[in-house]
Amino acid sequence: MSGSGDPSDIFRQEASELLEQLEQSLLDLGHRPDDRSLVDTAFRALHTIKGSGAMFGFVAVAAFVHDFETAFDRVRGGLAPCTPALVTAALQARDHIRALIESPQDALPARGEELLAALRQAVDGAAPAAVAAAADAEAEWHIRFRLGGEALVNGTNPLLMLDEIRGLGPLDVTALTDAVPPLDEIDPESCYLGWDVRLRSGCDRAKIDEVFIFVSDDAKIEITRVDAEAPAPAAVTTAAEQPAPSLAPVPVAAADRPRGEAEIARVGGSLRVQAERLDALMDRVGELVIAHARLSQLASGGEAGLTTVAEEIGRLVAELRDTTMSIRMLPIGSLFTRFRRLLHDLSRDLGKPVELVTSGEETELDKTMIERLADPLVHLIRNAVDHGLEAPEGRIAAGKPGAGSIRLSARHAGAEVLVTVSDDGRGLDAERIRASAIEKGLISADARLADHEIHQLLFQPGFSTAKEISAISGRGVGMDVVKRTVEQLRGSIEIATRPGRGTDVTLRLPLTLAIIEGLLVRVGEGCYAIPLSAVEECVELPAQEDGRSNGYSLLQIRGALVPFLRLREMMRCATPPDPHQKVVIIAAGDQRVGLVVDQILGSHQTVIKSLSRLHADVKTFSGATILGDGSVALILDVAHLLEIGEEEGRRTRMRQAA
């Protein structure tokens, strides 16, 4: 979503989408090199970027893509096969286009020449000589065209179009001035000229049509092959046949023109909205939720009419909240497709054939979550390929297929989304992880840890089991970044491994970061909110435990020992505790911890407000919310409390064993 109306920003936004389309087409061609539709899709993306780049002043982009397109056009014309070497060279050229668009000052011209040379070598090295000779045969084309009256306003440059035709072969151009009005009637924003072109080229009709794909709706175009028995029909391309949309911004005046039913349906299907506007809308909805909480509190002791109005407003606020949150939701498949290129490159660099399998691409997640999940998933996939998957000969010896498999899946689970990265490799070696942790001083040699606790050591800063440092791994950075990012998203990580069969790493994430359902509790004189998705159950603190004033202990919950924390001690409350304290059991995966509170106040619609920079080191809280009476309640950080509870539970068990 573009955050600016600047034409160059619009071009960057649309070019990014076309580059993504180009990358996916090239990756698919690696598996289906004879699929002509994929070649056409890649070529159309290149052609659209070239034309639009020239319109918006990205001259270097247009020039590079033109040469890229020229080389790739030989594949499209059947003059050369699509080989793995060509796909690799084309993917690297695609990366250079992105660099030219996003940071042209860092894109070295020599690198561009090197990539184009690699492309030409990949194409020319496999071109059949007989077909190549046939391509040199020339024909003569007669092209006559007049642009629409608003072509110049839309950003069309007819000189660039003529240059593009000149790239197909020698030509003679004559300007048609018969429609030019008297000087005092000329509109400087209108195009009155036409052009008569004689082109000598062995190209086919489709290549000439592509020159006019941005203007064919409004232009009058006649294309005739001179040596043909009959003239070719006029190049009128319907909207349904257009391969890619023009990137030129639509002028305001165009809104006044009548549209066909098909065009109206197309425009009504979707609407591009700036990301900042959605964020602002979400903020206003959050403030409205807070205001409604205040209204409900005032109406609770008032007249019946006011209560009815408050309930009706509450229903509308809830619907508005759900609708606004749904607007921010995007299918996670848009994130999954990015990793096809990553696996392609890793497979090449490590010499491990890898297949990517995805499921649950339609699962929706907040757009902010999707943006921030990209880096953690990159780290997890790199580790799965480098450490998890065996080399092809090792897999075959173990009775597995030579090619490894990485599976990305997503699914809803209540108010959470579970994103899982799975591999079918060797699995985790708990003893090796333990030995490496002892060597690095992360745990003592006599520490007794369960398997799931050993697996969590992988997320410690500086931890690595790699024996050698490489470009892929070995420096002990990455997995700790994964954990930190997921915890910042108020999520958690679970690991399940099967020796010799593979490992699953699951990220449990809330649906959104803006508004959540919370359980409001009182500890001393303060109120705190606990994300309701993490609450498993609430029980009363047994009398024998209630009598203890200090320390941590374990609670018997349905046949399992659960460590619990006294929040009064953590918050240093000076007031005496309530006579019947409650325990809120929170859980994430196989981790469970009880939180002792004075009173459970009930559920609360929690609008999350970030803490200031001064409170960045306070790990107990993940944010704050405003209550109906205007007071502030801090939101407890579930991941941090679970970590403390696990550590203290382990110490308690060790003391009891001693």
Side-chain angles (χ1 to χ4, degrees), residues 373-626:
L373 270 181
D375 284 346
L377 288 178
V378 166
H379 287 303
L380 291 175
I381 292 172
R382 288 167 68 97
N383 275 277
V385 176
D386 191 23
H387 296 295
L389 296 181
E390 310 94 333
E393 57 273 14
R395 294 181 59 84
I396 294 174
K400 299 180 182 179
S405 174
I406 299 293
R407 177 180 293 275
L408 286 175
S409 62
R411 63 183 179 89
H412 284 110
E416 293 181 316
V417 170
L418 307 186
V419 181
T420 302
V421 179
S422 305
D423 66 72
D424 63 347
R426 60 175 61 92
L428 296 179
D429 187 338
E431 286 304 317
R432 184 179 176 188
I433 297 172
R434 176 186 173 87
S436 183
I438 293 173
E439 179 184 347
K440 291 176 171 56
L442 298 176
I443 60 174
S444 61
D446 58 349
R448 291 181 294 179
L449 302 177
D451 281 351
H452 76 274
E453 294 173 320
I454 293 176
H455 297 159
Q456 290 297 318
L457 293 172
L458 294 171
F459 300 101
Q460 292 294 320
F463 183 86
S464 176
T465 59
K467 297 179 180 179
E468 296 180 1
I469 294 176
S470 68
I472 306 297
S473 62
R475 299 189 182 274
V477 295
M479 296 300 280
D480 61 318
V481 174
V482 172
K483 183 176 182 181
R484 185 162 60 250
T485 303
V486 171
E487 288 181 350
Q488 288 172 351
L489 295 173
R490 298 197 323 277
S492 61
I493 304 176
E494 302 172 10
I495 298 179
T497 188
R498 304 168 301 282
R501 296 178 56 193
T503 302
D504 301 336
V505 180
T506 300
L507 311 182
R508 303 183 69 96
L509 302 159
L511 282 174
T512 180
L513 295 174
I515 301 175
I516 62 171
E517 289 292 336
L519 181 68
L520 204 61
V521 299
R522 181 177 61 80
V523 179
E525 296 180 351
C527 288
Y528 302 91
I530 305 172
L532 199 58
S533 60
V535 176
E536 192 172 85
E537 60 181 313
C538 300
V539 298
E540 188 167 324
L541 183 66
Q544 64 272 22
E545 296 293 343
D546 198 8
R548 300 186 186 181
S549 58
N550 295 307
Y552 303 88
S553 190
L554 300 171
L555 197 62
Q556 187 82 15
I557 300 291
R558 308 190 189 286
L561 290 177
V562 178
F564 64 87
L565 308 176
R566 298 177 186 271
L567 292 185
R568 292 183 55 84
E569 295 177 5
M570 296 184 66
M571 310 305 176
R572 298 180 182 178
C573 297
T575 59
D578 280 23
H580 301 288
Q581 292 184 299
K582 307 297 187 293
V583 182
V584 180
I585 308 297
I586 59 175
D590 54 4
Q591 291 181 298
R592 301 170 76 203
V593 170
L595 305 178
V596 180
V597 302
D598 286 329
Q599 185 182 4
I600 297 174
L601 302 177
S603 61
H604 179 266
Q605 190 112 144
T606 303
V607 179
I608 300 172
K609 301 290 185 181
S610 300
L611 299 178
S612 70
R613 294 181 181 176
L614 297 176
H615 301 90
D617 295 333
V618 181
K619 297 182 179 180
T620 308
F621 309 110
S622 60
T625 186
I626 302 175

